[in-house]
Amino acid sequence: MNDDLLPVITRAQLALRNGQDKPEIWVALRGLVYDVTSSRLWRNGKHYEHWAGQDLTDELKDAPHNENVFDKFKVIGRLKS
């Protein structure tokens, strides 16, 4: 899918998908927003010391995996810059 055709998601909209406020659990990485609701590792919006509903780009460098781990999740939008 062409990234330009994806809906634009604001940081405020992303923040509401933190696993607490709404049933969806979303995270952003490198300008794309991923739906990680189906992941047992993101249950309740927390994955180790990371919280859903935010841009994790800067935190990825501390992770024991690379960004390819997000390939299994659906991209649902572009994060508004």
Side-chain angles (χ1 to χ4, degrees), residues 36-76:
V36 297
T37 306
S38 64
S39 174
R40 62 179 177 76
L41 297 176
W42 279 101
R43 195 162 295 151
N44 299 321
K46 189 169 189 317
H47 176 64
Y48 297 99
E49 71 275 3
H50 306 289
W51 290 94
Q54 62 182 319
D55 185 349
L56 300 177
T57 302
D58 291 340
E59 297 181 38
L60 187 67
K61 65 184 177 303
D62 297 326
H65 53 71
N66 62 28
E67 64 190 72
N68 293 346
V69 73
F70 288 98
D71 290 349
K72 61 185 166 200
F73 299 110
K74 182 177 180 184
V75 174
I76 56 163

Side-chain angles (χ1 to χ4, degrees), residues 9-21:
I9 295 172
T10 66
R11 291 184 185 275
Q13 290 170 312
L14 176 63
L16 288 174
R17 274 56 178 205
N18 60 11
Q20 307 296 313
D21 297 310

